Amino acid sequence: DNIVENAVEKLQSCTQIVDAARLLRDRAVVAFPTETVYGLGANALSNEAVEKIFAAKGRPSDNPLIVHIAKKEQLSTVASEIPEKAEKLMDAFWPGPLTIILPRTDEVASLVTAGLDSVGVRMPDHPIALALIAEAGVPIAAPSANRSGRPSPTTAAHVLADLDGRVAGIVDGGATGVGLESTVIDVTVEPPVILRPGGITRDEMEAVIGPVALDPSFQAGATETPRAPGMKYTHYAPEGEMWLVAGEAKRVWDKMAAMLREAKQHGRKTGVLATEETFEAWRAHPDADVVLSVGSRSDLGEVAHQLYAVLRDFDAHHVQFIVGETFSREGLGMAVMNRLEKAAGGRIEQA
Ligand code: TXA
Ligand code: MG
């Protein structure tokens, strides 16, 4: 029975991939799983196709898209030059959650790169994504498959919730693994600079190519100073107003409790973004209506994997005011904190 079930499942996913690849060749947009988050794909060589991505997401047209390839031979179609450090990074981390900014070719649709002369390229580490791109026969431009501003989708259900009726199809590959987007590194400058922290850490890359710089917007220490709320930071945001509280554990607890109390006094439904370590205690707290754990502090991979689903869960519970704990910026913590800060629109309290 199990053998038959497995065979049927395999066959169904094959049919889905063949159908989706045909849609991509016909210049339609299709959502598909990668190891990071679900992507919303279109033929990267066609402006007509790529335009549909921006329309479906409601994405500003000045934000460039990542081009996904299945084999290294596809690189020359999209990139005009491969610096030595890029080559080393590809050998070390592809397929995987690393996007490399390279000089572009003229073949890449101009909408993909938003007028820039560079293009972001990555080879995703997911069997469905690789099969789909190979079957489509063209490089695939794909941003995360969420409505602009919302948390990125880590399940097909998240994609459907955001984009139902706006895409030609969704290939369902279950929950994604990493849960946060790829790291974006620019190797057209020296030293190379991380533009977005993600699944591959700075340390991992420095071990391969030497010194790597960080874009100043997410330098360590940014939690130490409270940030003014800024619209430009709103991204990955739940519908409720979210605040982060940083500092020593006991003071964080007291500050969060005080903020929850005030929100309750204003009649708002409250939520706590907790960890395994604090989950039970917050559940017992009278001012915390909805308490969700993103996992254990000792496993940032688990936190990354669950973060976006938890943010969406607050919306499902119609939470209006959310307070969240913060994390160390070590390793994957840099990406976790970057997404949390954006979800909170820069609202951080120092306890
Ligand atoms: O994990 C991921 O990277 C996912 C999956 C689907 O592959 N994709 C993703 O795409 O997160 P998106 O569009 O949500 O984020 C792309 C990021 C944006 O911050 C964009 O500004 C940056 O990459 N980017 C793309 N091309 C660029 C370029 N030529 N120069 C600088 N930044 C670029
Ligand atoms: Mg995105």
Side-chain angles (χ1 to χ4, degrees):
D1 265 14
N2 232 337
I3 295 173
V4 173
E5 252 172 53
N6 285 344
V8 168
E9 227 169 68
K10 269 227 171 87
L11 207 60
Q12 278 168 348
S13 93
C14 281
T15 332
Q16 276 193 51
I17 289 168
V18 170
D19 288 347
R22 188 177 305 122
L23 288 169
L24 288 170
R25 283 196 298 271
D26 290 344
R27 298 187 162 76
V29 289
V30 173
F32 62 95
T34 79
E35 83 280 33
T36 58
V37 300
Y38 274 73
L40 184 59
N43 180 348
L45 309 181
S46 161
N47 268 327
E48 182 197 332
V50 171
E51 195 180 4
K52 293 174 189 163
I53 293 179
F54 287 91
K57 281 192 60 128
R59 179 174 175 115
S61 61
D62 63 353
N63 196 359
L65 308 178
I66 292 169
V67 174
H68 298 68
I69 59 173
K71 307 178 191 106
K72 261 184 110 177
E73 294 84 86
Q74 287 181 300
L75 253 186
S76 58
T77 310
V78 295
S80 62
E81 194 201 319
I82 317 292
E84 201 190 317
K85 286 182 182 175
E87 194 78 48
K88 285 186 176 163
L89 290 172
M90 290 170 194
D91 289 344
F93 302 111
W94 279 6
L98 182 66
T99 296
I100 305 178
I101 307 293
L102 299 164
R104 61 167 287 184
T105 64
D106 291 339
E107 281 186 79
V108 180
S110 57
L111 279 177
V112 169
T113 57
L116 298 173
D117 49 19
S118 63
V119 61
V121 189
R122 88 175 188 100
M123 188 188 294
D125 187 14
H126 194 291
I128 293 179
L130 292 173
L132 177 63
I133 300 162
E135 177 69 16
V138 285
I140 299 297
S144 49
N146 50 285
R147 288 296 288 270
S148 221
R150 300 262 299 140
S152 296
T154 53
T155 66
H158 294 164
V159 179
L160 203 62
D162 274 19
L163 297 174
D164 194 13
R166 298 176 152 259
V167 298
I170 302 172
V171 184
D172 188 348
T176 62
V178 179
L180 294 181
E181 299 85 348
S182 62
T183 301
V184 178
I185 186 166
D186 186 354
V187 292
T188 67
V189 292
E190 191 54 48
V193 56
I194 297 175
L195 300 182
R196 177 177 73 179
I200 301 289
T201 65
R202 183 190 196 179
D203 286 350
E204 289 175 304
M205 290 190 288
E206 289 194 326
V208 176
I209 58 166
V212 168
L214 290 178
D215 189 84
S217 66
F218 52 84
Q219 295 277 2
T223 42
E224 303 306 310
T225 40
R227 284 198 191 181
M231 278 304 290
K232 68 180 164 165
Y233 294 116
T234 308
H235 223 299
Y236 314 110
E239 277 151 27
E241 177 186 333
M242 183 166 159
W243 286 83
L244 298 177
V245 182
E248 178 270 320
K250 174 73 174 76
R251 295 167 64 121
V252 167
W253 173 277
D254 291 343
K255 180 74 195 167
M256 284 168 73
M259 291 169 83
L260 290 170
R261 155 136 296 212
E262 197 190 326
K264 286 301 289 178
Q265 280 165 354
H266 286 89
R268 300 169 93 180
K269 185 166 184 180
T270 62
V272 176
L273 188 144
T275 51
E276 280 316 305
E277 288 77 8
T278 58
F279 180 70
E280 288 303 334
W282 278 122
R283 284 235 303 188
H285 196 285
D287 292 324
D289 295 327
V290 177
V291 181
L292 301 174
S293 168
V294 283
S296 168
R297 292 197 161 274
S298 62
D299 185 357
L300 283 176
E302 185 64 12
V303 174
H305 176 71
Q306 300 192 134
L307 181 61
Y308 289 144
V310 165
L311 291 176
R312 282 177 181 263
D313 234 15
F314 283 118
D315 291 348
H317 287 95
H318 306 290
V319 174
Q320 295 163 303
F321 183 85
I322 305 160
V323 284
E325 301 173 17
T326 61
F327 296 85
S328 135
R329 281 166 203 271
E330 289 293 303
L332 202 52
M334 174 148 331
V336 167
M337 279 305 296
N338 172 260
R339 304 309 191 277
L340 272 174
E341 284 172 352
K342 293 206 174 204
R347 291 180 284 259
I348 298 182
E349 284 282 344
Q350 186 67 38

